[in-house]
Amino acid sequence: GAVAATKPGDGAAPRDLLELYCGNGNFTIPLSRHFRKVLATELTKPNAAVARENAAKNGRSNVVVARLSAAEVAEALRRDREFARLKELGVDLDAYDLGTLFVDPPRCGLDAPTLKLAHGFETVVYMSCGPDTLAENLHALNATHVVADFAVFDQFPYTDHCEVGLVLKRRADADAHKTDLTHRTPPRRSARPLRTKKRPGTAGAHL
């Protein structure tokens, strides 16, 4: 699963996780077991509040939930802008050793600033509810990352909707190919929508 994919290798010291679009923290809590610290971000106030409560009730003292959009996180990490919301939480970005990025974006996928942010991470775990935009994002990330594992979850039989989870690992030669990733020509979308034909009650493989 995604949790197993983020487990440090034998003898490796745990690093830190950045999570975008954390929602209520349902992924945050299990993932936090494999990281020294977790910076989880969510734009909406109600979801961020529930995520903090979720972390507290589960005793996850290594989790900080900040109310920021993905674009604002990119700004903060580039040091383009200081955010009072981070200062109020006592977040010192220089104290984080961020090696893994977890994203669960809306159907529109990752925007250009977030894609640029993603290509600097050693590991990217991507949960998608939009296969078309996922394909475009993967085309942009292909220069710096390879897909190490994936799974498709058919949770909505007889509809066009499905969930896809991927684990991407950074290429050894990524630095030589990471320029202008977000301006790469995306693949053409299929004229026909993705349709599933599984019987009700079936599901995809587990990530």
Side-chain angles (χ1 to χ4, degrees), residues 85-190:
R85 281 165 282 171
L86 291 177
K87 288 185 177 181
E88 290 168 359
L89 294 169
V91 172
D92 177 7
L93 293 176
D94 292 329
Y96 282 82
D97 178 24
L98 297 170
T100 299
L101 174 68
F102 184 93
V103 295
D104 184 14
R107 195 171 298 277
C108 60
L110 302 179
D111 58 16
T114 311
L115 282 171
K116 288 186 177 182
L117 174 67
H119 72 59
F121 281 79
E122 187 67 29
T123 302
V124 177
V125 182
Y126 194 138
M127 292 297 300
S128 171
C129 59
D132 286 342
T133 52
L134 172 63
E136 294 178 4
N137 285 171
L138 288 179
H139 190 73
L141 290 170
N142 182 60
T144 54
H145 289 75
V146 294
V147 176
D149 200 0
F150 77 96
V152 177
F153 303 89
D154 183 11
Q155 298 174 308
F156 312 99
Y158 304 113
T159 74
D160 297 338
H161 305 295
C162 68
E163 295 279 334
V164 183
L166 302 101
V167 178
L168 298 101
K169 294 290 185 178
R170 201 163 191 266
R171 297 177 182 270
D173 61 346
D175 289 335
H177 301 285
K178 70 179 183 181
T179 304
D180 293 331
L181 290 180
T182 57
H183 295 88
R184 293 163 63 85
T185 303
R188 295 182 61 184
R189 296 186 183 183
S190 171

Side-chain angles (χ1 to χ4, degrees), residues 23-35:
N24 294 340
N26 292 334
F27 287 112
T28 314
I29 304 308
L31 288 172
S32 66
R33 300 198 303 266
H34 290 162
F35 295 92

